[in-house]
Amino acid sequence: MARYTCSFIIAVPLERLQQVLIEVLESCNFDIIYNTGDYLMAREIPGHVSFAKLVTVEVLIDKSTATEQEVRMNFVIKNEELPLQVDNHCHQMFHQVQQAIAQNRHWQLVESVAG
């Protein structure tokens, strides 16, 4: 199973975070399948790759340390594909999500840590 993690601190009003995050994931070809307010799960829309390569994104929004202007988000991006190549489909989607978050004009990226 391919699995990539990263953490972001974003400068954005907390009340706008959910909508902007959903828009970012949808722009990366993900469909939101579960949303509780502090946890979000999205799955890649089928049709471009085999079922085993479909990527799932889990986002944990750390509201316990959030301020009115900054919030930490932890991402897990994974699929059932064995990561036999460095540049596998899951890694490509991981990179796409990282870029979309870093370049979004609705917030400011304060810190990014990939694990």
Side-chain angles (χ1 to χ4, degrees):
M1 171 188 271
R3 179 183 179 105
Y4 303 93
T5 61
C6 55
S7 178
F8 300 98
I9 296 177
I10 303 293
V12 63
L14 196 53
E15 66 271 1
R16 292 188 54 220
L17 175 66
Q18 282 284 327
Q19 186 57 40
V20 176
L21 180 58
I22 289 169
E23 290 171 8
V24 166
L25 291 173
E26 288 175 345
S27 76
C28 293
N29 202 33
F30 287 96
D31 188 28
I32 308 305
I33 58 174
Y34 191 73
N35 185 354
T36 65
D38 59 354
Y39 175 81
L40 189 137
M41 180 184 281
R43 186 176 305 141
E44 187 176 8
I45 297 171
H48 301 290
V49 295
S50 67
F51 186 75
K53 290 185 177 184
L54 288 177
V55 174
T56 301
V57 177
E58 296 181 43
V59 184
L60 179 62
I61 300 167
D62 189 359
K63 291 186 177 179
S64 66
T65 61
T67 66
E68 290 185 24
Q69 295 300 319
E70 284 188 1
V71 64
R72 176 182 296 275
M73 300 183 295
N74 297 305
F75 284 71
V76 176
I77 299 172
K78 61 187 178 179
N79 70 0
E80 297 299 322
E81 174 185 25
L82 290 174
L84 300 175
Q85 300 173 345
V86 174
D87 193 29
N88 58 61
H89 178 69
C90 190
H91 187 263
Q92 292 169 359
M93 295 304 292
F94 171 73
H95 184 68
Q96 182 179 351
V97 169
Q98 279 186 307
Q99 282 188 319
I101 289 170
Q103 297 172 355
N104 190 288
R105 62 184 175 89
H106 295 290
W107 57 40
Q108 181 180 0
L109 180 63
V110 176
E111 183 180 321
S112 172
V113 178

